[in-house]
Amino acid sequence: MTERIYLDHAATSPLRPEARAAMEEGFRIWANPSSPHAEGRKAKAALEDGRERIKRALGLGQKDKNYEVIFTSGASEALWIALNRAKVDRRIVSAVEHDAVFRAAPDAEVLSVNEFGGFEEDKLVKLLEQPGRVIAALQSVNSETGKTIMNMPDRDNPIGEAFGETQSLWLSDCSQSAGKLALPDADMIVISAHKFGGPIGIGALLVRDYAMLEPMGGHERGYRHGTENLPGALGMAAALEAGGLETWNTSEQDRENFYLGIAESGFNRFSGSYNPYIVALTHPTMSAQALLIRLDAMGFAVSAGSACSSGTLKKSRVLDAFGVSDEVAARTIRVSIGWSTTPDELEQFATAWASLS
C-alpha cells in the first residue's frame, strides 16, 4: 500500500475544504472581536454571524429549541464550564463519560450503565430526587465503542419527569454526534469542531439559558475567559454547513457492507444500539497493542479507545463500565470513519483485518 489510510476520526477528523476557506477569511479579518474600533466591530460582526450559522446548521434556531452558543477551546473546556459553573448543588456523571468529564467533576456521583448502554432509571430518579439541584452528564454517543446511550430524559418518561420536577439539568456531551446525528433535547450540549471536519482548538457549550450558569467575567458575554477564536468559529460554522452523513464519501450501505464484511473475523459490537461510524473490533487472539503495531505497519491509523487514554496499557475504564471482560478488552481496538473515508479504504482495511493472525 503506497498511501496510508486514516481510520481514527473519533480522535480527530481532517479539515473540510469549506472550513479551511472560511478560516482563511477569518484570518484576513484579523482584529480582536472585543475591540471597540471599526476593525474590532467588523470582526465582532463576523463572529456573531458565525454563531448564528452554527445554530441554524444544528437545527437550534427554532423558537421551541433555541440555544445560546458559548465558544470554547474545545469539548474539554465546554465540559468544565458546564460542570463547574452550572447553578446546581450536586453533579452526576455516567460511568462511560469521556475522561474530560471526570477531570472536570472528580467528586461527582457515578451512574453505572449496563452492557446495552442504558442505566437503571429508578436509580437515576432516586438520585435526582435527593436534596439539592443536580446537573447530570449523560453523553449521546460513546467515543470508544460507538454505543448510542439509551433511555435518555424525555418529557414522557420517568427520567424526564424527574428532571422537570427537581429542576435538574441534563448535560449531553455530543462531541461524537454533532454534525452527524440529531442532537438530543438536553439543557446543555457540548460540541467539538474537529470531530466533524472543523478546526482543532474550538468547540462550544450550547445552553438553553445563560441563567443556568454563574458568569465568570471576560468574554462570551461573561461566561468564558480568553479572546475569541474568530477563524476557528468561522471554520466550525462552515464545516457544519457542509453537511452531515449524507455528504460523506461512504454511503449508509457502504458502511453496513464494511461491518458485515469483517463480522466473521472478529467484529464486536458488544450489545446495544450503535451509530454508523465508530466500531469496536475484537481480535480472536492478538492483543490491542499488537494489533495497533501491526496495522500501523500495514498503513492503517486506528486506535485503542479514546485518544487521551489509548497510549496507556491499562484496561479501558469505559469497556469495564460496559461489562466487557478483561480478556476481551485486551484484544479490542477502535475503528472510526469520517467524511473523507472512501469505500475502497474500508475494503482495504477489511482485507487487512482478515489477514491478521
Side-chain angles (χ1 to χ4, degrees):
M1 190 169 65
T2 58
E3 294 186 7
R4 291 184 58 81
I5 292 177
Y6 183 80
L7 295 172
D8 195 20
H9 290 259
T12 195
S13 207
L15 191 65
R16 280 181 176 264
E18 299 90 342
R20 185 185 302 276
M23 291 182 72
E24 290 173 353
E25 175 61 23
F27 285 123
R28 285 191 285 269
I29 310 172
W30 48 264
N32 189 323
S34 295
S35 297
H37 45 61
E39 290 82 358
R41 295 196 302 274
K42 181 179 180 181
K44 181 70 170 180
L47 182 73
E48 295 309 313
D49 180 62
R51 199 187 307 271
E52 292 303 313
R53 288 165 55 199
I54 287 168
K55 290 171 63 173
R56 288 196 299 271
L58 290 171
L60 301 179
Q62 301 92 339
K63 184 177 180 181
D64 61 339
K65 200 171 185 180
N66 194 24
Y67 286 73
E68 306 293 348
V69 177
I70 300 172
F71 287 121
T72 66
S73 61
S76 293
E77 184 190 6
L79 289 165
W80 188 94
I81 293 173
L83 289 164
N84 287 277
R85 306 303 298 181
K87 295 178 181 178
V88 297
D89 304 296
R90 296 185 295 121
R91 298 176 291 185
I92 298 171
V93 303
S94 85
V96 294
E97 298 299 312
H98 193 276
D99 284 349
V101 170
F102 288 88
R103 288 193 297 268
D107 59 346
E109 299 165 89
V110 179
L111 180 68
S112 60
V113 299
N114 58 36
E115 62 178 316
F116 300 101
F119 42 78
E120 296 180 42
E121 293 188 9
D122 292 344
K123 182 178 180 179
L124 177 55
V125 169
K126 288 179 180 179
L127 286 172
L128 293 173
E129 291 176 343
Q130 292 175 12
R133 193 184 188 198
V134 169
I135 183 170
L138 307 171
Q139 65 186 200
S140 62
V141 170
N142 184 260
S143 64
E144 293 191 33
T145 65
K147 281 181 182 286
T148 300
I149 307 303
M150 300 165 64
N151 58 347
M152 287 302 188
D154 184 273
R155 292 174 184 154
D156 299 324
N157 67 21
I159 303 175
E161 291 176 2
F163 268 91
E165 291 171 359
T166 61
Q167 295 186 311
S168 294
L169 303 176
W170 172 22
L171 166 66
S172 183
D173 179 2
C174 295
S175 300
Q176 298 295 346
S177 56
K180 302 162 190 170
L181 305 177
L183 294 178
D185 195 25
D187 297 294
M188 299 187 193
I189 296 172
V190 168
I191 67 174
S192 178
H194 71 108
K195 305 294 188 180
F196 50 75
I200 292 173
I202 189 161
L205 174 63
L206 315 177
V207 296
R208 286 191 183 279
D209 191 338
Y210 284 126
M212 294 176 176
L213 298 170
E214 289 283 357
M216 64 176 73
H219 298 79
E220 290 299 284
R221 292 174 172 79
Y223 292 92
R224 191 246 176 181
H225 298 306
T227 301
E228 296 95 340
N229 179 358
L230 174 58
L234 298 183
M236 178 160 65
L240 287 171
E241 289 172 339
L245 294 174
E246 75 282 356
T247 70
W248 286 19
N249 292 329
T250 55
S251 66
E252 182 178 356
Q253 190 61 56
D254 291 329
R255 295 187 287 271
E256 187 59 32
N257 289 342
F258 171 63
Y259 300 146
L260 293 173
I262 58 178
E264 294 182 358
S265 52
F267 172 43
N268 189 354
R269 281 188 176 181
F270 305 126
S271 303
S273 301
Y274 291 80
N275 70 68
Y277 45 84
I278 302 175
V279 59
L281 291 175
T282 301
H283 193 273
T285 59
M286 293 181 66
S287 71
Q289 292 300 316
L291 288 166
L292 294 183
I293 293 170
R294 287 282 299 276
L295 287 167
D296 190 48
M298 296 168 73
F300 297 96
V302 296
S303 64
S306 63
C308 63
S309 61
S310 60
T312 72
L313 295 177
K314 296 179 181 179
K315 179 184 177 182
S316 162
R317 172 182 51 76
V318 167
L319 294 183
D320 195 41
F322 278 127
V324 179
S325 70
D326 292 352
E327 191 265 338
V328 170
R331 296 182 282 107
T332 299
I333 64 170
R334 178 186 72 181
V335 175
S336 50
I337 67 179
W339 68 270
S340 61
T341 307
T342 66
D344 181 63
E345 289 175 336
L346 294 183
E347 285 186 25
Q348 290 189 54
F349 179 84
T351 300
W353 178 258
S355 73
L356 294 172
S357 59

